[in-house]
Amino acid sequence: MDTITHGLLGGVVVRAAFGKKANVPMVLAGTIGAMAPDIDVFIRSKADPLLFWTLHRHFTHSLLFVPIGALVIAVLFWLFWRKNTSFKYFYFAACLGYITHPLLDAATSFGTLLYWPFSDYRVSWDIIAVIDPVVTLVLLVGLIFAFRSTGKKGAIWALSLFLIYLCFGIYQHDRGEKFQNQLAQSRGHQVVHGRVMPTLGNLMVWRSIYENQESLYIDALRIIPGKGPGLFPGGKIQKFQLEQMPNALRGSMLYDDIGRFFWFSEGYTGVLKSQEGHWQVGDMRYSAISQGEVPIWGIEFSESEPDQHVKIIRFPRQYKSSLQALGNLLFNGK
């Protein structure tokens, strides 16, 4: 989820929890606390192009890190506003704000290491889009209303609408999984490894991806209550497996990079190009609706360069055709 929405949720939660006791510095502590985990976006390396993807939503997003990150925020706020608010209130506010961040990120499809350091499993509940203006607007209006009133009613209303929206996402996700299974069965397939994920900004059009017989099948699904399902077929692509790499590469820098990318994309890796030991591999979780077989990003590497890092590649998106496809799915069902 985008950082602004995180901050709004943190502020709303603090206002809802403390009511009139939540003065502006406390709400700001909750807001900054909710934004703080994304400080990991500054962890980058020119030498290691995968470092950002490896460490984003990593240790700063762990539930175990919440009290540590909140402590840093609380100390900073207490140093500036200790005359008006005690340290414990700043710490509680920062904790409330901070913990909303990894949980909200886990509700998206990107993958969040909630259980680090005990597990490197990327939690992805797939019930809300990475960017959703509906959520942002609800929280913004709720926070404004909460400060215009004397109590916590506005914040509670905003949280209630937010939770209702998340529940709607769970309902839609369940319908999407059923549609995906029906679609696979109609093709004579069995879903070995599959997911349905909301597309940007809505819960009506979902991205379906599943594995069958070493291929990934990618489609866009229309799921609107009261209407029949709609389909925009995206095609299929050969799945990339680590086992396709020569044994001689094992233990090399290149092999490590490939494994990290496979982990980051949660196994949804497709072969975009394979010629004489030169590979292009894409993260097939994300692409424009009209470009089902063309991902947003991927990696490029050569088997003849085991001591070189992979190269990050990004693919141009056809926004016009994707908007047309989205409109056709929403209004025409295909």
Side-chain angles (χ1 to χ4, degrees):
M1 186 60 69
D2 64 278
T3 305
I4 293 176
T5 305
H6 277 300
L8 290 172
L9 179 58
V12 166
V13 167
V14 170
R15 185 67 173 179
F18 291 97
K20 290 183 289 185
K21 292 182 180 179
N23 54 26
V24 172
M26 280 182 62
V27 173
L28 282 176
T31 299
I32 299 302
M35 300 168 71
D38 275 344
I39 198 171
D40 61 9
V41 299
F42 295 105
I43 304 176
R44 298 171 184 264
S45 170
K46 292 183 179 179
D48 182 359
L50 287 179
L51 185 65
F52 170 76
W53 283 346
T54 303
L55 292 184
H56 183 42
R57 297 202 186 183
H58 198 279
F59 67 95
T60 62
H61 289 62
S62 166
L63 294 177
L64 192 66
F65 196 80
V66 170
I68 301 172
L71 179 62
V72 175
I73 301 299
V75 168
L76 292 175
F77 272 83
W78 181 75
L79 288 175
F80 286 97
W81 284 289
R82 59 181 178 271
K83 292 182 180 180
N84 301 321
T85 307
S86 67
F87 176 79
K88 68 176 182 180
Y89 281 111
F90 277 133
Y91 185 65
F92 290 151
C95 277
L96 281 175
Y98 202 105
I99 199 170
T100 64
H101 188 116
L103 294 176
L104 183 56
D105 272 352
T108 70
S109 58
F110 193 80
T112 305
L113 272 69
L114 286 184
Y115 312 125
W116 183 90
F118 306 108
S119 171
D120 63 355
Y121 174 69
R122 299 178 64 86
V123 179
S124 309
W125 295 327
D126 300 336
I127 60 173
I128 194 172
V130 175
I131 297 176
D132 194 321
V134 174
V135 175
T136 307
L137 183 61
V138 166
L139 294 174
L140 176 61
V141 172
L143 190 59
I144 293 173
F145 183 70
F147 273 108
R148 290 178 63 88
S149 63
T150 57
K152 52 173 120 174
K153 184 181 296 184
I156 291 176
W157 271 105
L159 280 180
S160 299
L161 291 174
F162 169 70
L163 292 174
I164 289 171
Y165 192 73
L166 288 184
C167 289
F168 179 63
I170 295 172
Y171 169 72
Q172 289 287 86
H173 181 264
D174 181 65
R175 294 184 67 205
E177 286 189 325
K178 291 177 180 177
F179 186 17
Q180 182 189 68
N181 285 323
Q182 292 171 0
L183 179 63
Q185 290 175 7
S186 70
R187 295 169 174 169
H189 297 164
Q190 181 179 0
V191 178
V192 177
H193 181 214
R195 285 172 66 180
V196 289
M197 301 168 282
T199 55
L200 288 181
N202 75 100
L203 293 178
M204 303 299 175
V205 176
W206 292 65
R207 181 171 178 79
S208 165
I209 181 169
Y210 69 87
E211 177 186 351
N212 181 74
Q213 294 184 351
E214 300 182 353
S215 292
L216 295 174
Y217 290 80
I218 304 155
D219 304 280
L221 314 177
R222 186 196 73 170
I223 308 169
I224 300 178
K227 290 189 176 183
L231 172 67
F232 188 99
K236 72 173 183 177
I237 189 169
Q238 178 189 345
K239 182 176 180 179
F240 174 81
Q241 298 280 13
L242 281 172
E243 290 76 13
Q244 294 175 259
M245 294 294 95
N247 289 332
L249 287 180
R250 294 183 182 274
S252 67
M253 178 188 296
L254 177 61
Y255 190 84
D256 180 65
D257 277 5
I258 298 169
R260 289 158 65 198
F261 183 76
F262 190 82
W263 167 81
F264 165 75
S265 56
E266 301 177 77
Y268 294 99
T269 47
V271 178
L272 306 175
K273 179 181 178 181
S274 175
Q275 185 177 9
E276 297 180 353
H278 185 82
W279 296 77
Q280 283 187 355
V281 177
D283 178 357
M284 305 311 298
R285 295 176 300 168
Y286 304 109
S287 72
I289 293 176
S290 61
Q291 299 172 272
E293 299 172 47
V294 181
I296 295 176
W297 52 61
I299 58 173
E300 187 174 22
F301 59 90
S302 176
E303 295 176 14
S304 62
E305 299 176 332
D307 297 323
Q308 298 292 321
H309 282 294
V310 298
K311 178 183 177 182
I312 301 295
I313 49 177
R314 297 183 183 274
F315 300 91
R317 281 173 276 180
Q318 299 175 4
Y319 292 102
K320 184 177 180 180
S321 60
S322 294
L323 286 174
Q324 290 175 342
L326 178 63
N328 286 335
L329 266 177
L330 286 174
F331 302 110
N332 302 323
K334 60 182 179 180

